[in-house]
Amino acid sequence: MTSICMLVVWMGKFQNTFELWKQSVFHNPTVDFYIITDNEGLRDEANLHFVHMTLPEAKQRFQALIEFPITLETPYKVCDYKPLIGEAFADITEKYEFWGHMDLDLMLGD
């Protein structure tokens, strides 16, 4: 069986559509979803996993992959580093055949 994970880096309060997004995740049980977030008190559910991390900690992971100083002072700028997410979070992606990145405003079909 093919193993797939999707990564989301989200710092700050979740959007008001977060619960709807979660339901779309649960309709895709063969894919594991990971949210790297500074939100606390979240528990894994089914195929949805939470990794607690601050923005400075995430920045360190990206910086370790790039030889020049990066700018990542606000959460919005994480989008500039999306191509590196799989390598920055290799401790997660190494367990899967395929990985991808996404945002919380994408509702999934089954």
Side-chain angles (χ1 to χ4, degrees), residues 2 17 20 29 36 40 47 60 86 89-91 102 107 110:
T2 302
T17 57
L20 183 60
I36 294 95
E40 296 184 10
N47 59 327
Q60 286 177 344
F89 297 98
D91 53 320
M102 63 182 297
M107 298 303 157
D110 61 357

Side-chain angles (χ1 to χ4, degrees), residues 38-98:
D38 58 355
N39 287 281
E40 296 184 10
L42 300 168
R43 295 185 348 194
D44 294 352
E45 300 177 59
N47 59 327
L48 177 58
H49 310 280
F50 295 97
V51 178
H52 184 265
M53 185 174 294
T54 64
L55 183 60
E57 290 169 329
K59 180 181 179 182
Q60 286 177 344
R61 287 187 178 229
F62 291 118
Q63 186 61 71
L65 301 171
I66 299 177
E67 296 178 8
F68 54 87
I70 66 170
T71 303
L72 186 52
E73 306 309 319
T74 62
Y76 179 76
K77 295 302 284 177
V78 169
C79 64
D80 292 349
Y81 304 100
K82 280 187 179 179
L84 299 175
I85 285 177
E87 189 65 28
F89 297 98
D91 53 320
I92 296 170
T93 60
E94 69 187 6
K95 299 176 270 189
Y96 296 90
E97 283 184 273
F98 302 99

